[in-house]
Amino acid sequence: GHTTGPSLNNDKLYKFAYSAEVYVDQVKASLQKSAGYRISSGVDVNLLWRNPDNDDDQLVKITMKGVQVENVNERPAAQSIFKGKSTEKIIGKDYLEALQRPIVVELVRGKVKTFYSYQNEPGFTQNIKRGLASLFQLQLHSGSSREVDISGKCNTTYHTRQDQVTKIKDLNSCETEKKRFTSHNRILDVSTKATSATVYVLEDSFIKSIKAEENFVFVLNYRRKTGAKIVSKQRLELKSVQAGMGLIAAKQVAGVIKTLDPNYVAMPLEAEPVKSECKKCPSLSEHWQSIREHMHPDKLSKPEAAKSFLSFIQNIRKATKEEILKIIRSEKKEFLPQVVDAVTSAQTPESLEAVLEFLDFKDASTFILQERFLYACGFASHPSETLLKSLTEKFKGDVAKEEIRETLVIVMGALIKKLCDRDGCKLPAVVEAKRLILNRLEKAKKDDNVQMYLLALKNALLPEGIPVLLKYAESGEGPISSLAATALQRYDPSFLTKEVKETMNRIYHQTRRVHEKTVRTTAAAIILNSNPSYMEVKNILLSIGELPMEMNKYMLSMIQDILHFEMPSSKTIRQVLKDMRAHNYDRFSKMGSSSAYTGYITRGPDVSSTYSLDILYSGSGILRRSNMNIHVFDRNAELHAIQVVIEAQGLESIIAATPDEGEENLDSFAGMSAILFDFQLRPVTFFQGYGDLMSKMLSATGDAMNVVKGLVLLTDFLQEIQLQSGPTASAEFMGGLAIDISGGMEFSLWYRESKTNVKNRVAVFIAGNIEVDSFFVKTGVETTLEAETALDFISTVQFSQYPFLVCMQMDRVDSPFRTRMTKYESLPSGRRYTARRGKAATLAGNEFPLHQENSNMCKKVFGAKSDSAGGWF
């Protein structure tokens, strides 16, 4: 009982049987069918030296003998990649010799104090020996400590019971240099779970058997079926104890090592980084040539485009700046935007340098490429401080095109938010960019300037930006005040202070001045969404009935939607409605065509998604604002997947109608603004001013304007793992989206009809790849999912009578999707075992239900239409 660690007897040779197994498969699968491999060997252990002043300080020699490599599961010979190959052939002669060279370990109180091996041995074999040495580290009393082994420095807990010790290693606590990044939004990210436990059985104060198991599980949050696991097991069993060599006499360890073999050197027990070289990998330009045709602009709404985009990014991440520039500089015009999407999404220092060297912001002719670069920065999954710094410098320099200057600052806002969410708010580049946006908003003179800084703030969502947003919401001109209000609407309700709610109430009830309907309805939505008080709800309900005609109908519809969808404030609303029954009938039976509606697209075990559609008209039947949203959420997080807002004002003169009160002097304008994956894009203008409107109407082709087109990296997850048995593993999940959103607005004076159309075309490709790499064999599992769909949102308005007729349609076409799973084992020679499973299905297209009123109107609109032949104008 004098020792605190295991103790070896002098002059004895302990003979063990050792095996290390690796399994990879889908999360729920049983290990009997998994891919993987087993390394097994004999292990000889003997004591070389014991410190004369401290029994608990022992020097131990450990030697692997008779190494074998085989399948982890029994398989017919035809499916075994190892069949008919000797170990020397599989591992290679030099590697096998290195693996079977002994190591020496100094154990002090059961912990590995020093690990001795030979220099210039391959890292792979060295790591397998480190994995074996780490097994001998244990303490014989219960308790926790931070200790170093092959996995790095980790929190480790021991539980002791008679002759059994259990060691639990907390893998999330390990300090290591492993590469790792995750996606910005939790919903688009991957959840991981890692566990490690080792059970020791002792006999005669030394080890009788060891069983160790590590588990790593990875699942995609928005589709938990897309996932995989790695299981790694180690086993050491004592087979016999024989007479062995005598001890080496010496005062200190150094003397023993010198006598034994002066070539031994002390090395860290933590694994050294290793990477197996790729022999047959194509160069970046060869790879680009093989996928190039899928990246043609006309093919961008196909899953193949998204798939090629992901594989291109993977290769760009391994490339030098020169290799990247070579492709960018030699590519044709129509392919370049897609190349820029991929190079920017790769987010390596080399790819950023390459694209910045290529793009010249002083040159207006490459406007499209500059915009694609900036949007890809806005969608960046793990942006660096350097990226924000580079954009800030570009913004301060010469920028030829005003739209690019605006986009620059809007994207800077998005990067501030992403860096702040990762505790980077104090980084110098973030502090500088925040200061720039807030200072310029304070000083901005022109409306255009105000608008771009407000949009930047709408992305950055800085708590310190709230006061300036309140100022513009309450005292700005129409579009500016509307923008400031929608920026406030994006903040989490927990940031919306008493002052915010007071301001919103003043705007809605027009306490200080007259406000446009668009701003008033946004203010009402903010109040109703941030835990409103009984009185706030009551005042809003009392105002219905006193509002301009269409706004009345809109507010009524908003309240009904909150009740029908059981939103948080519905309880308070029900309470108020019960108490004011007397006032209701007249107030709540208003005519009009404006509306608000929310419904589910999907309700699933992993994530659910909702769509909402609200439309506000002016009293004369002209659209003021239509707003379509799709939100995706799970129990812990939410993602604003898409928002398309079409706003119009001052169009009454076209149909010789009277503008609403307070809106007599509004300039004619129509435009569209979009949010994609929590990132507000630069709004586009359909027309500005009466002259522009007239010229576009007379040439009205009704062509849709492109709002956003390109490739977006949605999911971007990489984690490198050190298995405690020696091999390295990696888990990589990527999700790519090919997207094409366009919108348009057309008028027919002849039929007194207008139409707005928003088309969303998307294709997605998701791939998760888990691989374990031991230099002589690789094993892994890959799961993929591909899908394509199109969502059309059309609203048709006939304003030849009042109340005018409005028909809204939201349709999704048939959407094919395919999933595949591949398990594999492969040797460097190219010999490979593969097992595949897959399924394909089609999600039937459908028309999303809106409220009953809308269905009735559509019947009238399309009923009335068939009488009159002829086209537009």
Side-chain angles (χ1 to χ4, degrees):
H2 65 286
T3 55
T4 50
S7 175
L8 287 82
N9 289 326
N10 306 0
D11 315 332
K12 290 276 187 262
L13 175 65
Y14 295 85
K15 283 187 131 359
F16 289 92
Y18 175 62
S19 72
E21 301 173 336
V22 175
Y23 302 82
V24 292
D25 213 328
Q26 286 183 292
V27 179
K28 293 270 196 289
S30 84
L31 297 182
Q32 279 85 20
K33 293 229 166 63
S34 301
Y37 55 88
R38 176 190 298 119
I39 298 174
S40 53
S41 75
V43 170
D44 287 1
V45 178
N46 62 300
L47 183 67
L48 296 172
W49 172 84
R50 181 177 269 121
N51 188 336
D53 306 327
N54 174 8
D55 278 355
D56 241 349
D57 182 357
Q58 312 170 86
L59 202 60
V60 181
K61 180 170 151 192
I62 303 171
T63 314
M64 291 179 79
K65 296 195 155 175
V67 174
Q68 296 276 308
V69 182
E70 56 202 335
N71 288 104
V72 75
N73 284 315
E74 283 301 307
R75 250 201 229 125
Q79 294 182 0
S80 167
I81 56 170
F82 304 121
K83 189 71 193 153
K85 287 192 174 234
S86 66
T87 305
E88 187 173 302
K89 191 103 170 102
I90 297 169
I91 295 186
K93 192 169 174 223
D94 299 348
Y95 279 81
L96 186 57
E97 276 174 15
L99 196 54
Q100 303 196 19
R101 257 179 236 135
I103 51 172
V104 176
V105 171
E106 183 184 3
L107 291 173
V108 179
R109 289 192 290 281
K111 305 290 170 90
V112 176
K113 184 185 173 196
T114 324
F115 169 76
Y116 295 95
S117 186
Y118 294 98
Q119 243 171 334
N120 306 330
E121 272 190 18
F124 279 111
T125 54
Q126 207 75 279
N127 283 347
I128 288 178
K129 294 198 274 191
R130 286 183 167 107
L132 181 56
S134 297
L135 281 181
F136 285 90
Q137 174 156 284
L138 92 144
Q139 68 185 39
L140 298 181
H141 57 277
S142 296
S144 297
S145 63
R146 269 183 90 64
E147 55 180 52
V148 175
D149 69 359
I150 180 168
S151 313
K153 192 176 191 178
C154 314
N155 294 343
T156 310
T157 306
Y158 290 91
H159 300 285
T160 317
R161 238 189 27 239
Q162 285 150 334
D163 287 335
Q164 192 172 315
V165 179
T166 306
K167 168 160 89 174
I168 305 283
K169 188 157 59 177
D170 174 6
L171 294 172
N172 295 325
S173 70
C174 299
E175 285 172 35
T176 89
E177 287 301 298
K178 287 282 170 230
K179 201 159 150 198
R180 175 159 207 268
F181 48 74
T182 60
S183 302
H184 173 69
N185 186 293
R186 228 198 71 90
I187 287 180
L188 300 173
D189 207 22
V190 172
S191 291
T192 62
K193 199 170 150 200
T195 57
S196 161
T198 309
V199 178
Y200 294 84
V201 178
L202 304 172
E203 188 176 77
D204 189 19
S205 81
F206 194 51
I207 292 162
K208 185 185 177 189
S209 72
I210 304 176
K211 278 185 185 166
E213 184 171 319
E214 264 183 316
N215 283 280
F216 295 90
V217 174
F218 301 90
V219 291
L220 199 55
N221 289 340
Y222 51 99
R223 188 178 187 272
R224 298 188 90 82
K225 275 187 189 156
T226 302
K229 68 178 168 190
I230 301 171
V231 180
S232 157
K233 296 181 176 190
Q234 285 165 286
R235 233 184 208 148
L236 192 71
E237 269 179 74
L238 183 61
K239 289 299 182 202
S240 65
V241 181
Q242 305 172 1
M245 305 274 291
L247 297 184
I248 297 172
K251 277 266 190 291
Q252 253 112 23
V253 173
V256 188
I257 294 292
K258 208 167 182 176
T259 311
L260 189 65
D261 184 344
N263 289 322
Y264 270 122
V265 268
M267 299 186 171
L269 187 56
E270 184 180 337
E272 61 188 87
V274 283
K275 200 84 193 113
S276 58
E277 283 303 302
C278 184
K279 305 247 190 316
K280 303 195 180 86
C281 285
S283 69
L284 187 64
S285 45
E286 286 167 345
H287 176 256
W288 167 244
Q289 287 309 318
S290 72
I291 58 163
R292 183 172 177 268
E293 56 165 316
H294 300 302
M295 305 285 259
H296 190 276
D298 297 345
K299 296 188 181 170
L300 279 197
S301 49
K302 290 274 169 259
E304 203 55 55
K307 180 183 179 176
S308 305
F309 170 64
L310 295 182
S311 66
F312 194 29
I313 289 174
Q314 284 175 314
N315 278 305
I316 295 170
R317 284 179 171 165
K318 300 175 196 144
T320 63
K321 174 177 145 184
E322 281 62 41
E323 291 173 296
I324 298 168
L325 275 170
K326 191 176 141 196
I327 292 180
I328 302 182
R329 291 199 165 125
S330 61
E331 197 39 86
K332 282 207 189 86
K333 200 167 125 196
E334 66 261 37
F335 287 96
L336 264 177
Q338 290 73 263
V339 174
V340 168
D341 284 340
V343 170
T344 313
S345 301
Q347 300 169 73
T348 62
E350 293 77 8
S351 65
L352 177 62
E353 281 174 28
V355 71
L356 285 174
E357 186 169 314
F358 171 70
L359 288 177
D360 178 8
F361 286 85
K362 299 187 187 74
D363 173 8
S365 70
T366 57
F367 164 72
I368 300 280
L369 297 179
Q370 295 168 35
E371 184 170 69
R372 286 287 269 268
F373 160 69
L374 290 172
Y375 278 167
C377 292
F379 292 123
S381 50
H382 50 272
S384 62
E385 184 190 8
T386 320
L387 176 59
L388 178 58
K389 200 172 167 201
S390 314
L391 296 190
T392 310
E393 279 163 14
K394 295 283 174 208
F395 180 73
K396 290 172 164 173
D398 283 346
V399 180
K401 236 173 144 48
E402 191 50 40
E403 285 100 317
I404 292 296
R405 234 177 87 79
E406 288 171 27
T407 310
L408 260 166
V409 79
I410 292 170
V411 171
M412 283 161 58
L415 295 179
I416 290 172
K417 171 91 170 81
K418 289 184 176 184
L419 289 164
C420 281
D421 284 350
R422 299 218 161 158
D423 306 322
C425 252
K426 303 261 187 310
L427 295 169
V430 178
V431 173
E432 188 195 351
K434 288 202 297 197
R435 206 170 39 224
L436 181 138
I437 291 169
L438 291 169
N439 286 351
R440 302 226 174 156
L441 250 183
E442 293 292 333
K443 301 197 185 79
K445 294 283 180 285
K446 287 213 326 264
D447 273 4
D448 291 355
N449 282 343
V450 172
Q451 186 170 359
M452 78 184 183
Y453 295 115
L454 285 176
L455 286 160
L457 206 44
K458 188 172 177 179
N459 273 330
L461 297 178
L462 300 169
E464 59 269 47
I466 290 178
V468 71
L469 288 175
L470 289 176
K471 179 185 97 178
Y472 280 110
E474 193 166 21
S475 50
E477 284 305 304
I480 296 291
S481 97
S482 184
L483 175 55
T486 61
L488 285 163
Q489 197 174 11
R490 291 197 69 200
Y491 280 82
D492 188 270
S494 59
F495 285 107
L496 303 180
T497 54
K498 187 162 144 287
E499 189 190 354
V500 175
K501 293 178 80 172
E502 284 169 357
T503 309
M504 294 304 113
N505 277 294
R506 283 198 303 271
I507 291 174
Y508 177 73
H509 296 291
Q510 309 200 93
T511 323
R512 289 188 179 165
R513 51 171 281 202
V514 172
H515 292 278
E516 283 183 40
K517 292 195 286 285
T518 44
V519 187
R520 292 179 67 190
T521 49
T522 305
I526 292 172
I527 298 165
L528 292 170
N529 190 33
S530 39
N531 193 9
S533 68
Y534 182 91
M535 275 320 287
E536 283 177 313
V537 171
K538 185 167 181 180
N539 287 334
I540 286 178
L541 288 176
L542 284 171
S543 71
I544 295 177
E546 318 297 321
L547 302 168
M549 210 144 47
E550 281 297 327
M551 185 174 161
N552 243 336
K553 182 71 176 46
Y554 181 87
M555 287 304 301
L556 193 53
S557 195
M558 185 198 287
I559 299 284
Q560 281 162 342
D561 191 41
I562 292 174
L563 294 173
H564 131 88
F565 206 73
E566 303 274 338
M567 292 176 201
S569 57
S570 57
K571 289 190 184 57
T572 316
I573 294 178
R574 279 186 215 287
Q575 192 51 52
V576 175
L577 283 171
K578 226 160 72 192
D579 299 347
M580 37 182 290
R581 226 172 280 140
H583 313 287
N584 290 352
Y585 182 74
D586 177 49
R587 175 169 292 122
F588 294 152
S589 58
K590 293 293 171 196
M591 279 184 16
S593 308
S594 302
S595 64
Y597 186 80
T598 305
Y600 278 103
I601 298 179
T602 56
R603 298 178 84 157
D606 308 330
V607 293
S608 296
S609 52
T610 58
Y611 62 97
S612 64
L613 197 53
D614 61 85
I615 285 209
L616 175 64
Y617 291 95
S618 70
S620 52
I622 295 249
L623 177 80
R624 282 293 267 121
R625 183 184 64 212
S626 86
N627 183 351
M628 182 198 79
N629 290 280
I630 295 178
H631 286 270
V632 183
F633 52 91
D634 63 11
R635 289 181 196 84
N636 313 306
E638 182 179 342
L639 172 67
H640 198 168
I642 195 165
Q643 177 186 64
V644 180
V645 179
I646 293 182
E647 286 207 55
Q649 62 174 40
L651 305 188
E652 281 72 17
S653 50
I654 314 173
I655 56 166
T658 314
D660 293 0
E661 186 195 355
E663 298 189 356
E664 294 84 2
N665 303 321
L666 291 182
D667 196 13
S668 304
F669 164 82
M672 176 156 152
S673 159
I675 289 175
L676 204 56
F677 303 107
D678 282 330
F679 165 44
Q680 164 76 52
L681 308 178
R682 184 176 55 79
V684 285
T685 300
F686 295 150
F687 48 80
Q688 175 98 48
Y690 189 71
D692 188 23
L693 163 66
M694 274 324 202
S695 68
K696 286 201 173 130
M697 265 185 61
L698 295 171
S699 65
T701 50
D703 274 355
M705 266 183 83
N706 198 287
V707 181
V708 60
K709 183 175 189 149
L711 295 150
V712 181
L713 182 59
L714 280 190
T715 293
D716 191 15
F717 173 91
L718 173 76
Q719 189 172 346
E720 290 181 349
I721 301 152
Q722 177 60 51
L723 298 180
Q724 60 194 25
S725 56
T728 51
S730 66
E732 183 172 31
F733 283 80
M734 293 176 91
L737 186 76
I739 192 159
D740 186 347
I741 300 180
S742 55
M745 192 171 182
E746 38 185 335
F747 286 93
S748 157
L749 291 182
W750 186 260
Y751 291 120
R752 301 184 80 75
E753 179 175 276
S754 81
K755 229 183 191 167
T756 40
N757 187 345
V758 178
K759 278 183 170 1
N760 305 292
R761 287 195 168 40
V762 292
V764 62
F765 188 87
I766 298 156
N769 192 8
I770 310 272
E771 185 168 78
V772 178
D773 183 4
S774 293
F775 59 106
F776 57 86
V777 57
K778 284 186 176 182
T779 179
V781 56
E782 183 170 35
T783 51
T784 63
L785 165 82
E786 56 181 81
E788 58 181 299
T789 188
L791 203 61
D792 283 351
F793 157 53
I794 303 160
S795 63
T796 312
V797 185
Q798 291 184 345
F799 36 77
S800 45
Q801 65 205 61
Y802 192 85
F804 40 87
L805 299 175
V806 182
C807 165
M808 291 182 290
Q809 295 152 289
M810 193 163 142
D811 298 338
R812 188 188 64 216
V813 298
D814 285 357
S815 312
F817 71 93
R818 279 233 269 313
T819 58
R820 283 205 186 93
M821 190 273 303
T822 311
K823 288 187 276 209
Y824 60 89
E825 295 154 6
S826 69
L827 297 176
S829 66
R831 194 191 266 200
R832 203 176 158 92
Y833 158 76
T834 311
R836 288 194 176 83
R837 276 226 319 276
K839 70 170 200 223
T842 297
L843 200 59
N846 68 343
E847 190 168 330
F848 289 101
L850 298 165
H851 25 56
Q852 188 53 48
E853 229 176 317
N854 182 59
S855 314
N856 301 344
M857 281 225 193
C858 288
K859 289 193 186 102
K860 283 192 189 163
V861 169
F862 291 107
K865 266 220 123 147
S866 52
D867 314 341
S868 44
W872 292 79
F873 298 103

